[in-house]
Amino acid sequence: MVTKREIKRIIALLLSATVVFSSQLLTAHAHNSDYFSGTYTASQSIKDMNFRIESSAITSLLTSQVYYSAYAWDNVSSNVGTIGIAIAAPGMPSSGFIIVTGKSYTDGTLGETIPRKADGSIANVDDNWAGVSIRMNTNSNAFSGASNPTTAAKKTFIHEVGHTLKLSHPKKNSSLSGHIYNGLPRAVMNQGYPNSQAVASTVVTHDKTNLRTKWGT
Ligand SMILES: [Zn+2]
Ligand SMILES: [Zn+2]
C-alpha cells in the first residue's frame, strides 16, 4: 500500500518541475540530489522549525509520542538545527508554527505535505515556499496495513517533516551505490509503510546525506 493521494500531490508537483529535474539529470544528477530546489521566503525559516499539532491530528494512534519522533531530524544539518513540536492547547499562538492537522482519508493517504505561495495557493515543489502545512490521516484504518501501526505513523510524520525540509522521494536508479532495493536506497523518504527493507522507520544515512547536501552540514 502506498500513499496514493500524496503521490498524486507530489507527482503533480514533480511534473511541473520536470525541466529542473531534467537539467539535473544532464549535469549534476547524483545519489545525493534527492531534494527540491528553492528555499523559504522570509516568512518561514528553515532553521529550528516549529510544528503545532492541532487537536484534529491527535488520535489514539497519533499521539504526542508519534509527533516527537520528528526529533530524528535534529542537528543532522546545523542550518536546519532542531525541530520543535508543540501540542496545541487553548491560548497557544499559531503564528510561527507549521500547522499539522488531521483528516480522515480512505484513499490510501498516510499523510501529505502542502507547500504554499504567499497568496495561499499551492506552490510548486521547486518554488521558494512562503509556508507549508502537513495533514495526517486520522482514519482509524489508515495504518492497519502496517506490520506495526505505531512505527508506520511515526515514519509517516518523520517523512512529511522531511518534505517540509524540501527533501524529495529518492530517485530509483540501480546503478547508484546503496540502491539495492529494486533501484531504491533505504530511506525514510521512500513512500509506503516500513514493512519493506527500503522504507526506513526513521532518518537514516541516505536521508541525512541529502539534507546536508541541500542545506549544509
Ligand atoms: Zn541515492
Ligand atoms: Zn512523500
Side-chain angles (χ1 to χ4, degrees), residues 78-145:
S78 60
N79 293 318
V80 173
T82 58
I83 300 295
I85 301 292
I87 307 300
M92 186 185 289
S94 56
S95 65
F97 291 95
I98 291 167
I99 302 298
V100 180
T101 55
K103 190 175 176 180
S104 180
Y105 296 107
T106 55
D107 61 359
T109 299
L110 301 178
E112 61 180 347
T113 299
I114 304 139
R116 303 247 179 224
K117 301 178 187 177
D119 66 6
S121 62
I122 294 179
N124 290 324
V125 289
D126 293 305
D127 289 349
N128 293 330
W129 300 348
V132 69
S133 59
I134 293 175
R135 278 194 212 123
M136 295 289 286
N137 190 348
T138 50
N139 188 286
S140 57
N141 294 318
F143 296 90
S144 57

Side-chain angles (χ1 to χ4, degrees), residues 6 159 163 169 191:
E6 187 200 47
H159 176 108
H163 281 318
H169 300 144
Q191 292 189 289

Side-chain angles (χ1 to χ4, degrees), residues 2 5 22 37 47 69 72 90 137 178 185 187 203:
V2 291
R5 188 188 174 94
S22 298
S37 298
K47 172 89 171 167
S69 66
N137 190 348
V203 176

